[in-house]
Amino acid sequence: MTTSQHADREKFEHLRTTLETAGVHAVLGTTVNAAGLTLAKSVPMQRFEAFHRTGLGAARVWPVFCIDAAIASAPGIDATGDLRLRIDIDAVRDIGNGLAWAPADLRTQQGHSIGACTRSLLTDIETHLASAGLTALVGHELEFVLVAPDGAAQGGGWVPYGATGLLDQESFAADLLAAAGAAGLRIEQLHSEYGPQQFEFSLAPAAPVATADAVVLAKLLVGRTARRHGLRASFSPKPFHGAVGNGAHQHFSLWRDGRPLFGGGDGPHGLTLEGGAAIGGILRGLADVQGLLTGSLLSGARLSPGMWSGAHAGWGLENRETAVRLIQGGAPEGSNVEVKCIDPSAGVYAATAAVLALALDGITDGAALPDEVEGDPSGWSDEDRAAAGVPLLSDDLTTILAALDGSERARRLLGDDIVDATVGVRRHELDTYGDREPEEVADLFRLAWSI
Ligand code: GLU
Ligand code: MG
């Protein structure tokens, strides 16, 4: 045994002993697929080592399981062959009640990473950033709506951003924060949102993969806590037709040699040249990757002007209507960029990978920073938008998927496998349910992205 193998074994044994001493008897490992679904396997503690070293068998269709349990077709994926679901033991958390959780990667049987594994993709993008001398900090905000176990709306009055909701669901909120604290999940705030029974949590900024892992853990704890209170949490982009949507806004900052790119520069609002190019890169490629950010059948319904969903394909300082909102200072981490158009039906790893890959692409070739959107564009006419060069993001899934499928940029930056898997699962949603009434689609898939 080499010294490093010895150290690895010692670390593993220490972790196993710590978990067993804490009463952990099973480990759950999760992966997020192209449809934004969280898939999992669990093992008793005796099989913890196998889950980490060799992984557990998973059919090759895992990346393309759809929101209705169908299997989409994608090149090279069929019923033959097998993958391995392998947990990352550096990210294991004791989540209480005898259960530990860990994020996992889908790999080949030989242990190689695969292009359709969204977590491996984000790991690669984090490595590309590091090779370019850049570090990213990412923080997520997730909105969800509490519903009855059968998906029915909860009654009662509601004050947007009110204290009322926090008291109505006081024991749920207290249990959620306690569960997060015990699992080492850094929830920065929890508040009631605009829509009835809608809540939001924000996660502390961290490295891209680590914070995407934290989103999965947070959704798991929200789902678990909701169940204990006889509830479920909807992470659908449009939980109820005609009502407020759920967003999954992603904040990020970029750093070179310890200096921020989104502050302290000579550009607009202190942007550095590279910070401006990162925003320029995102806006330049937004239509290419929209299928990874707002690509489900319910995503388009959320993207209307006036809903603070970032439906305008531009950027602005503290602008809640632009897809990219620059947030200046104030926060302890300094200025950051919020990509507001993302919704929770997107797979968190793939969506983060798409945003960061576009930002890096913009920095690499010095993408131009478009003019800022000044003021609230939600009342603009088509002519106003055309004059400003700020179109609305598409809300048409056929258009969104054709753009992704045909995008040389998306394929170059993210790889064919993830593009093809995403187009496959989302086209299935469109082909199967695209003709249904929006009310029915909202009802059918209200809990599709919940854990
Ligand atoms: N619910 C809005 C959305 O769909 C976001 C509201 C907010 O800005 O917090 O993204
Ligand atoms: Mg919000």
Side-chain angles (χ1 to χ4, degrees), residues 105 113-128 209 292 349-351 353-354 413-415 418:
D105 292 315
S113 63
I114 62 160
C117 170
T118 60
R119 188 171 187 269
S120 305
L121 172 68
L122 183 55
T123 305
D124 287 348
I125 301 295
E126 205 173 314
T127 307
H128 296 334
V209 175
L292 294 157
Y349 300 100
L413 297 177
L414 304 167
I418 194 68

Side-chain angles (χ1 to χ4, degrees), residues 260-273 275-276 315 317 326 328 335:
L261 300 194
F262 297 134
D266 301 329
H269 311 299
L271 286 172
T272 64
L273 204 57
W315 74 279
L317 180 68
L326 178 66
Q328 218 183 9
S335 300

Side-chain angles (χ1 to χ4, degrees), residues 141 143 191 193 200 249:
E141 290 175 20
E143 294 171 340
H191 65 264
E193 254 291 338
E200 172 181 318
H249 311 166

